[in-house]
Amino acid sequence: MRSKLYNDNLLIEAQTHIDRLHLNIAWERFCEFYKKAGAIRKNDEYLLGLFGACLGYLPDEGMKFMDYGAHIIDEGRVIGIIEILNEENPDKNLVIPRAFARLGEHEEARYLIITDKKILRFYLDYEAQWQSFYFEDLDFLEFCKFYALLNYNALKSGIPVTMRERTAYREQDISSKLYRNFKIFRMSLFEDMCIQNESLNHLLLSEALNKLCDRIIFAIYASHNELLPSGALESVQTYEELKSLFALIHTGEQGVVKFNGDLFAPDLLLDNLKISDLALELNLISKYDYKLDVTPDMLSYILSQIYNFEEIFQKN
């Protein structure tokens, strides 16, 4: 799975420990830097504007200028590489492997930053994951996360490493809990479907269950990411109300963002199923944060594991 390197909730938590005065000063300096970024042509001017003034990397102490960017320095040791994309160095596909090769030349170097005037990517070690920051999207709250992770003292102190370890633990913990609860939810829902719809064979109900769960997961994710009106999913108490919500997602009415696909199209079987209210324990799987904690990659992995297990079970 490839997802963001850090959990957003942990980045929000990390910035609460930083002195507010320092944050405010850094934010003002970033705003000034960003206004002038389009006119900057020289690497050292860019480095001094962003990493020096905003993030506290002092020349010769925190960073050493190179023709491609800079070395991040701590007590004379190279602990990271900054590579700048510009007119002379424009191809990201060429820069990334070359930058990782440079990183490997320094035994204690773990941080790689690749940046231009619009975006900054932060890598830790050689993971196929990164944290992206888009400068035009950096309002004060987003800048606080940016600063908490990338200021010079944070890198010196190993905070990105600690934060990555905490993120991995959090992701594993949430993934295992959601996996367990989703299996419980599906099992309970399937048992109820079998009881309420005795005339239908279990294989047909199993196929209907998969599609229904896909719809429910999509609706939960959409609700947490402001694609549904506030409270639209939380107000659902019955299967009839859930079907009405699915219909709105298909048509894109009443403030609901339309989903262009067949998942929510009218389905004769699903539209005529009987499901008891008690079986719709949506809170069991909707109580997690699908905006900051549950990534699409995590969801995809959980669903594939459950569906694959059920296919193997049915075949045997």
Side-chain angles (χ1 to χ4, degrees), residues 22-228:
H22 289 165
L23 272 176
N24 289 334
I25 293 173
W27 168 243
E28 290 176 4
R29 290 176 175 175
F30 174 78
C31 292
E32 287 300 312
F33 160 79
Y34 188 58
K35 288 177 185 176
K36 303 173 183 176
I40 294 176
R41 293 291 178 266
K42 296 180 179 179
N43 283 356
D44 56 352
E45 187 179 349
Y46 180 92
L47 291 164
L48 288 171
L50 179 60
F51 293 91
C54 303
L55 297 172
Y57 295 66
L58 298 177
D60 298 324
E61 292 183 35
M63 60 180 170
K64 180 180 179 183
F65 298 149
M66 310 296 290
D67 59 350
Y68 52 82
H71 288 165
I72 304 171
I73 306 294
D74 176 28
E75 296 182 349
R77 302 171 299 125
V78 177
I79 61 172
I81 299 288
I82 302 171
E83 181 109 18
I84 298 176
L85 295 172
N86 53 27
E87 291 83 355
E88 298 176 359
N89 202 24
D91 193 338
K92 183 175 63 179
N93 294 324
L94 293 176
V95 166
I96 291 174
R98 189 170 62 216
F100 272 117
R102 289 189 177 119
L103 193 70
E105 295 172 1
H106 306 278
E107 188 174 344
E108 298 181 61
R110 303 189 66 176
Y111 309 124
L112 174 60
I113 296 172
I114 296 177
T115 182
D116 59 19
K117 297 171 185 177
K118 296 180 179 179
I119 183 175
L120 181 147
R121 273 190 182 184
F122 177 77
Y123 296 83
L124 177 64
D125 295 325
Y126 298 93
E127 292 194 54
Q129 296 171 291
W130 59 83
Q131 193 74 23
S132 294
F133 294 97
Y134 294 86
F135 294 153
E136 66 178 3
D137 295 336
L138 285 187
D139 56 18
F140 180 69
L141 293 178
E142 286 299 308
F143 177 79
C144 288
K145 291 188 279 187
F146 173 78
Y147 184 86
L149 182 65
L150 293 173
N151 76 83
Y152 180 59
N153 286 330
L155 264 64
K156 259 197 332 184
S157 305
I159 286 178
V161 178
T162 304
M163 289 281 291
R164 180 56 192 148
E165 292 169 352
R166 292 185 63 199
T167 293
Y169 176 81
R170 186 184 182 100
E171 288 177 348
Q172 184 178 7
D173 183 54
I174 291 172
S175 180
S176 62
K177 288 177 179 176
L178 179 56
Y179 176 80
R180 172 183 175 275
N181 286 355
F182 189 58
K183 286 184 70 175
I184 293 172
F185 174 80
R186 283 174 58 83
M187 181 177 67
S188 174
L189 187 56
F190 185 65
E191 289 177 352
D192 183 79
M193 289 168 61
C194 292
I195 293 171
Q196 303 293 330
N197 305 271
E198 291 182 345
S199 62
L200 300 177
N201 69 64
H202 287 190
L203 182 58
L204 191 63
L205 287 174
S206 177
E207 293 173 354
L209 174 70
N210 286 345
K211 188 171 184 179
L212 178 56
C213 284
D214 285 347
R215 285 183 171 189
I216 289 171
I217 285 293
F218 183 95
I220 292 172
Y221 185 84
S223 175
H224 284 235
N225 287 274
E226 291 90 43
L227 300 176
L228 298 181

